[in-house]
Amino acid sequence: MSAGRSALRMGPAELVQAAAMARRFYLEGKSKIQIAEEFGVSRFKVARVLETALERDLVRIEIRVPAELDAERSDALRARYGLRHAVVVESPAEEQDDAADPENLGEVAADLLGELVNEGDVLGLAWGRSTIHMAAALDRLPPCTVVQLTGVYDAGTAERGSVEAVRRAAQVSGGEAHPIYAPMLLPDPATAAALRHQTGIARAFEYFDKVTVAAVSIGSWEPGISTVHDMLSDEERAHYASLGVAAEMSAHLFDSDGRRVGRDLGERCITVEADRLRRIPEVVAIAGGQRKAAAIGAVLRSGLVTSLVTDTAAADYLLTDSAAPRRPALERADPDGE
């Protein structure tokens, strides 16, 4: 606390009393009633003195967050989309137009999960570069069960991808791990259905309705930014593009209004169903960058996501997007009305 120039206009007795009351309130954590009893005045008098101390610069309150976090954008984004949590981090100084999600998103998301997950929860992890980065950055989690929500991008890279992310999270928490050793996308619905009935995969699916916190990634419908896009043939990509797909999350496709399109694709995929995802109490999306900004907005309009970790580049787009949802994400409203 310091006495600014304007505070010197107070009389010495007022100045000393205000400083003492402010010290009790801001530093010692005493209530206004306790301070009033100590000084023999009313609590309303204490309130006026504290207000005057702020107005006259006797007390200065400084709110600090780590430099990489943008508190103002975070709060604005949370309010605009009705999110439960929104965390915006600074974009890299020299962001490349073709860059994937900044790796620091995963680090911040790891800290957020440390806050959100409680003992006994079931944590679900979907495939995505950002969720893999997040799992690698985890250093604290209460005891919980960890389940994989989607198959992997390529079964040959399972040890370096989703499976390893699930194992890492379970290791940090000391809980059980339920990975899925299968590709995300299969050649046809029959193959996908057969795999869903395999013992290990079926056991993981049984946990989907028990998931309390989930972490997912978002992709825009273009090369290198959507895993599903890159797994399809040119003909299939053109087909789904003709349906107006603008975003992809966990092998579910969305148009710019957040409505699901190309639902037949889900029949060929090993992934958590959209209706199950909507029932999960907390779904944290991790995605950022200019190339993903419109896709993030589309997924937010789907009502499947409750919280978001993103960067300033995407946040600036989302905060000026005229198509922002009318209903908050907390309502989990389905734009298809289902």
Side-chain angles (χ1 to χ4, degrees):
M1 298 181 186
S2 61
R5 183 177 301 174
S6 59
L8 295 177
R9 298 175 184 173
M10 301 172 67
E14 291 178 306
L15 187 61
V16 170
Q17 183 184 66
M21 288 184 176
R23 184 174 296 279
R24 303 290 194 281
F25 186 74
Y26 292 107
L27 298 184
E28 299 176 13
K30 291 188 176 181
S31 69
K32 294 174 183 177
I33 294 177
Q34 290 174 314
I35 297 171
E37 291 176 351
E38 178 182 349
F39 286 87
V41 297
S42 70
R43 61 185 177 88
F44 302 106
K45 168 70 172 179
V46 173
R48 286 195 299 271
V49 170
L50 293 175
E51 183 177 352
T52 300
L54 285 171
E55 291 175 350
R56 298 194 178 186
D57 205 24
L58 178 64
V59 173
R60 297 177 184 176
I61 298 177
E62 185 176 10
I63 300 174
R64 292 185 177 182
V65 295
E68 68 173 352
L69 298 182
D70 192 312
E72 185 175 351
R73 283 186 176 90
S74 297
D75 188 56
L77 196 61
R78 179 199 57 77
R80 183 174 177 83
Y81 288 85
L83 294 163
R84 185 172 290 119
H85 303 284
V87 182
V88 178
V89 305
E90 290 291 339
S91 299
E94 297 181 358
E95 181 183 2
Q96 301 296 320
D97 289 340
D98 60 349
D101 298 318
E103 289 193 22
N104 61 341
L105 292 187
E107 297 171 3
V108 173
D111 288 338
L112 179 60
L113 278 194
E115 293 182 62
L116 299 181
V117 176
N118 296 307
E119 183 174 351
D121 277 349
V122 177
L123 171 62
L125 300 181
W127 158 264
R129 297 179 184 90
S130 56
T131 52
I132 291 171
H133 290 152
M134 178 204 68
L138 283 171
D139 59 10
R140 63 185 177 96
L141 272 180
C144 65
T145 299
V146 186
V147 60
Q148 194 169 321
L149 296 178
T150 65
V152 298
Y153 174 54
D154 182 343
T157 64
E159 291 302 314
R160 303 189 300 275
S162 302
V163 171
E164 181 57 32
V166 169
R167 286 176 173 171
R168 167 64 182 169
Q171 180 184 30
V172 173
S173 73
E176 295 181 2
H178 294 277
I180 293 177
Y181 295 95
M184 180 189 296
L185 180 65
L186 281 304
D188 53 70
T191 303
L195 278 177
R196 292 190 198 103
H197 287 90
Q198 287 191 356
T199 303
I201 297 174
R203 185 178 297 115
F205 268 64
E206 290 173 358
Y207 275 91
F208 286 179
D209 288 329
K210 303 174 184 178
V211 174
T212 50
V213 180
V216 300
S217 296
I218 295 173
S220 56
W221 197 245
E222 54 182 311
I225 309 296
S226 166
T227 300
V228 173
H229 177 281
D230 293 345
M231 288 191 288
L232 296 173
S233 67
D234 290 340
E235 182 179 353
E236 290 171 324
R237 292 169 190 158
H239 165 67
Y240 290 117
S242 71
L243 301 179
V245 60
E248 174 261 317
M249 179 181 69
S250 301
H252 299 294
L253 310 182
F254 306 88
D255 66 13
S256 59
D257 293 323
R259 294 184 173 89
R260 290 179 59 213
V261 296
R263 299 191 183 204
D264 61 306
L265 182 64
E267 298 176 5
R268 296 169 49 195
C269 293
I270 303 297
T271 185
V272 60
E273 300 94 326
D275 58 344
R276 280 178 159 176
L277 198 60
R278 197 181 303 277
R279 291 196 296 268
I280 296 174
E282 182 75 80
V283 178
V284 181
I286 313 162
Q290 294 180 359
R291 289 180 66 183
K292 284 192 177 183
I296 296 169
V299 172
L300 291 181
R301 285 186 278 278
S302 75
L304 292 173
V305 169
T306 60
S307 297
L308 175 67
V309 177
T310 191
D311 66 348
T312 52
D316 286 342
Y317 173 90
L318 294 168
L319 290 172
T320 57
D321 184 7
S322 60
R326 295 180 181 178
R327 296 181 179 180
L330 288 180
E331 293 182 8
R332 313 301 293 275
D334 186 345
D336 289 321
E338 298 182 359

